[in-house]
Amino acid sequence: MSKIISIHSFRGGTGKSNLTANLAAQAAVSGNRVAIVDTDIQSPGIHVLFGLDENNMPHTLNEYLRGEINIEQASFNVGQNTGNVSGRKKLTGKDLWLIPASINGNEISQILRNGYDVNRLNEGLYEITQTLNLDYLFIDTHPGLNEETLLSIVSSDKLILILRPDQQDFQGTAVTIDIARLLDVPEMFLVVNKALSRYDPAQVKAQVEGIYNCPVAGVLQLSEDLVENASNDIFSLAFPEHPWSQQVGAIMETLMANN
């Protein structure tokens, strides 16, 4: 049975889309059929990590939400866009799909002006899991709390909340956890991202779990190598032996072990 995993953060800038792409890639490397839906329609960007732009995205999630296409028409096989760097773990080209949101300014402004039918989005999520026979569907959400985000949370089998070691993130995450618990999300994990190298990951994990009474799936340290990559690649595939990549793999193993 397929699992829907939402990746969310209360604030922007947490590295949510980058982590979503890397977790999904690690799931595919493990032999799973995986897709990602970019529901951050107001500020889409995960497509960049897979080498897509307006010229090679003939259809997007926006068109599906307007009822112009079926959701499968907006799905792109992005596994074929990996495996070009020496030493990278290669995907087969048939294991990983992306359903991108449009980066076109007119499309974004239309969504901001008119909104969209959130029920249709929910229908599309379940439809694509069946059509592509997925093991995992990852949802890259819009930061904060709004109707669309709450729908993603409700639809999820697992919710991953990303936070930085920052007081604003701590407060916003507390609110999000309270809401997720009210919505009876089956499983919820925290991931601490961009922790300074001088922090002890084990101590950070223990501290955060104590604050929120919620399991921490991983603590990712701030990496200059990742920053230098500048969203040009799926980092954990390009540099599989890097400590950051190893930790991402461990987070995905935790998620898969809790099926």
Side-chain angles (χ1 to χ4, degrees):
M1 181 179 293
S2 61
K3 297 292 184 181
I4 298 178
I5 303 177
S6 286
I7 315 292
H8 185 62
S9 62
F10 184 78
R11 298 172 66 214
T14 58
K16 174 177 56 64
S17 294
N18 185 63
L19 183 57
T20 302
N22 278 273
L23 286 173
Q26 290 303 310
V29 164
S30 298
N32 295 289
R33 295 173 64 83
V34 182
I36 307 166
V37 180
D38 188 356
T39 65
D40 190 359
I41 297 173
Q42 299 178 25
S43 52
I46 199 169
H47 59 276
V48 174
L49 290 149
F50 292 101
L52 295 177
D53 58 28
E54 283 187 77
N55 296 322
N56 51 15
M57 294 192 304
H59 298 295
T60 64
L61 180 66
N62 303 57
E63 294 166 79
Y64 167 75
L65 293 174
R66 293 198 298 267
E68 299 170 3
I69 60 172
N70 63 56
I71 196 165
E72 188 178 9
Q73 290 176 273
S75 64
F76 296 89
N77 186 329
V78 291
Q80 61 196 6
N81 293 358
T82 69
N84 299 320
V85 177
S86 177
R88 178 195 293 181
K89 293 181 180 178
K90 184 178 175 64
L91 299 179
T92 64
K94 65 181 181 180
D95 299 316
L96 183 58
W97 291 266
L98 173 66
I99 300 165
S102 176
I103 194 63
N104 181 279
N106 290 331
E107 291 271 3
I108 294 172
S109 62
Q110 183 175 349
I111 287 287
L112 293 175
R113 184 173 60 251
N114 300 328
Y116 61 87
D117 184 353
V118 293
N119 290 320
R120 181 168 174 79
L121 174 60
N122 191 31
E123 292 169 0
L125 297 178
Y126 286 102
E127 179 183 337
I128 201 66
T129 61
Q130 300 300 314
T131 303
L132 297 180
N133 191 26
L134 297 176
D135 296 299
Y136 293 99
L137 175 64
F138 288 82
I139 303 175
D140 184 16
T141 68
H142 183 67
L145 293 172
N146 53 36
E147 185 178 8
E148 295 85 354
T149 297
L150 293 176
L151 173 64
S152 297
I153 290 175
V154 169
S155 302
S156 304
D157 298 294
K158 302 174 189 282
L159 173 64
I160 312 301
L161 295 176
I162 305 174
L163 68 154
R164 295 161 295 189
D166 175 276
Q167 288 302 315
Q168 293 185 62
D169 279 20
F170 285 164
Q171 291 185 17
T173 299
V175 173
T176 309
I177 288 174
D178 287 344
I179 292 174
R181 285 174 172 152
L182 289 172
L183 296 173
D184 292 327
V185 176
E187 285 191 272
M188 180 165 50
F189 298 90
L190 302 178
V191 171
V192 181
N193 198 17
K194 302 185 180 181
L196 297 181
S197 59
R198 67 173 180 267
Y199 295 168
D200 180 348
Q203 289 184 355
V204 173
K205 181 178 187 294
Q207 178 186 15
V208 172
E209 287 183 337
I211 292 171
Y212 299 112
N213 192 27
C214 181
V216 172
V219 177
L220 296 167
Q221 293 185 318
L222 181 64
S223 168
E224 290 188 4
D225 296 327
L226 183 65
V227 174
E228 187 176 15
N229 185 56
S231 299
N232 286 316
D233 213 341
I234 306 299
F235 189 86
S236 65
L237 295 182
F239 307 100
E241 302 306 318
H242 193 280
W244 190 91
S245 303
Q246 293 288 307
Q247 185 59 44
V248 170
I251 293 171
M252 193 60 229
E253 286 178 6
T254 296
L255 298 180
M256 290 189 292
N258 283 271
N259 280 346

